[in-house]
Amino acid sequence: AISLGDYASLAFPLAFVLTVWEIVARAVFNSPTIWTLEIALLVSGIAYILVGPQTTALKSHISIDLMLKAVSDQTRSVLEVVGSVASIVFGAVITYSGWRLASPLLDGLERTGSALDSLAPSVIKVLIPLAGLLWTVLEAMRLGRMLRK
């Protein structure tokens, strides 16, 4: 999950370059592209979806630990277990909801309907439940490690 997120995060600079290219093409050459925005949104969406499990694996998400520092170690451990269980529930809901979005794709792929007419909606809809499942598994593993301590 960690290296997957590292590779996926490379999409953000790519999206930036594509956006700059679109601005230059439109403003300087008066020739906007029909594909730049769609591709930039797709690669950004993929990266955003895949970096979530990495954040979970590294436990590097944003947290407000003021409350955790004010309680005893035993209470902190209990709160971390509760937070982990809540994260597992969140991941399961994302996985289930994402599957409900992705399962109609078994009957046929969805396209954007734009001039490029890419498969971007299909790609994103398939990645959401996969990333949710990865998130859930990683968080369950983390919970298992916490409970063994």
Side-chain angles (χ1 to χ4, degrees), residues 37-112:
L37 178 61
E38 197 165 314
I39 299 299
L41 289 173
L42 174 64
V43 297
S44 296
I46 290 170
Y48 186 77
I49 290 168
L50 295 179
V51 169
Q54 177 185 21
T55 304
T56 298
L58 294 173
K59 199 175 181 261
S60 61
H61 53 278
I62 297 172
S63 74
I64 302 170
D65 58 356
L66 181 64
M67 190 169 78
L68 290 177
K69 289 182 178 181
V71 297
S72 68
D73 289 342
Q74 185 177 7
T75 303
R76 184 178 309 117
S77 295
V78 169
L79 290 173
E80 286 181 356
V81 166
V82 169
S84 185
V85 169
S87 185
I88 290 169
V89 170
F90 170 78
V93 168
I94 291 294
T95 303
Y96 174 75
S97 300
W99 171 249
R100 291 197 49 170
L101 286 172
S103 61
L105 297 174
L106 295 172
D107 294 329
L109 296 176
E110 190 175 325
R111 296 185 161 286
T112 58

